[in-house]
């Protein structure tokens, strides 16, 4: 085994360990942040960068053959799929959380809509009480 | 490739660290206060399992494990899509039912009031 083999091995293992470090940072962030929409940020980092660098290291170790081609396909697929799933989870959270204002600032439209909703509710309650009296 | 087999212990240590992080992800999924937390943790678990399968494929020199990894990625993405759709649908349905119930209650109160207003004098006459 020549010099090139050693260089390839060291570069591959180094990239793999870099990917592992990114997974560690991801896990630390997931336990550090307080709300889902903050935690999602670090989770997406692990999905794209951690897995990308780890599989890049494995591609370097493996050399050029069909296995490494499939690994590249996995990286490309996760680049496409991870933002979509993050978006879906965030939309689920925004839809089902009824006191979202307690956690984050809302854009103008939604805040305005919620205030009008609250006003309508108030008016209806007044009407109801009037009928009740 | 011979170097990989020669220094297999490096990969074994990496696999052990990944397994420990997998258990921490599972803890996050258990204590996560909201549904989105749990889904996100499951997403992270599937990513780490994919890395583990890829490392095993290289260390054991079995190329077909990579196919399993690809299928795992697709199935985990599908699971996230389906679960978010199901939870959103269930929540919206429950909210609609709640608002419908409130509306019908309000209607019932109104009609009761109207009937008692009409019915009072009638009773007086008879």
């Amino acid at each position: 085994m020549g010099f090139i083999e050693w260089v390839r091995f060291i570069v591959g293992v180094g990239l793999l360990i870099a990917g592992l470090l990114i997974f560690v940072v991801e896990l630390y962030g997931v336990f550090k942040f307080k709300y889902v929409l903050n935690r999602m940020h670090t989770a997406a980092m692990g999905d794209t960068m951690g897995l990308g660098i780890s599989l890049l290291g494995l591609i370097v170790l493996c050399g050029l053959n069909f296995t490494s081609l499939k690994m590249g396909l996995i990286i490309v697929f996760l680049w496409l799929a991870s933002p979509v799933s993050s978006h879906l989870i965030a939309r689920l959270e925004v839809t089902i959380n009824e006191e979202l204002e307690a956690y984050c600032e809302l854009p103008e439209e939604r805040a305005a809509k919620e205030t009008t909703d609250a006003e309508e509710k108030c008016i209806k309650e007044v009407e109801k009480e009037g009928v009740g009296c | 490739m011979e170097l990989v087999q020669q220094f297999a212990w490096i990969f074994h240590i990496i696999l052990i660290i990944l397994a420990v992080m997998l258990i921490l992800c599972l803890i996050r999924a258990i204590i996560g206060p909201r549904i989105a937390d749990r889904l996100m943790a499951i997403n992270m678990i599937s990513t780490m399992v994919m890395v583990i399968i890829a490392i095993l494929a290289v260390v054991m020199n079995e190329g077909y494990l990579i196919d399993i990894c690809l299928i795992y990625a697709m199935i985990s993405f599908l699971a996230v899509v389906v679960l978010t759709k199901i939870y959103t649908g269930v929540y919206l349905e429950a909210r609609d039912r709640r608002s419908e119930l409130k509306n019908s209650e309000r209607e019932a109160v109104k009609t009761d009031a109207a009937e008692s207003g009409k019915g009072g004098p009638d009773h007086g006459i008879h």
Side-chain angles (χ1 to χ4, degrees), chain A residues 34-37 39 92-100 103, chain B residues 28-40:
Chain A
K34 296 287 178 234
Y35 187 54
V36 195
L37 297 179
R39 282 181 199 136
L92 169 77
E93 175 61 26
V94 171
T95 309
I96 73 172
N97 197 348
E98 282 174 354
E99 55 263 350
L100 197 64
Y103 298 103
Chain B
R28 180 76 259 173
I30 292 168
I31 68 174
R34 306 193 67 84
I35 293 168
D37 267 313
R38 296 171 212 273
L39 277 175
M40 197 197 65

Side-chain angles (χ1 to χ4, degrees), chain A residues 73-90:
Chain A
L73 199 63
I74 292 171
I75 296 175
V76 171
F77 178 76
L78 244 95
W79 278 349
L80 294 179
S82 167
V84 176
S85 58
S86 284
H87 177 82
L88 284 173
I89 294 174

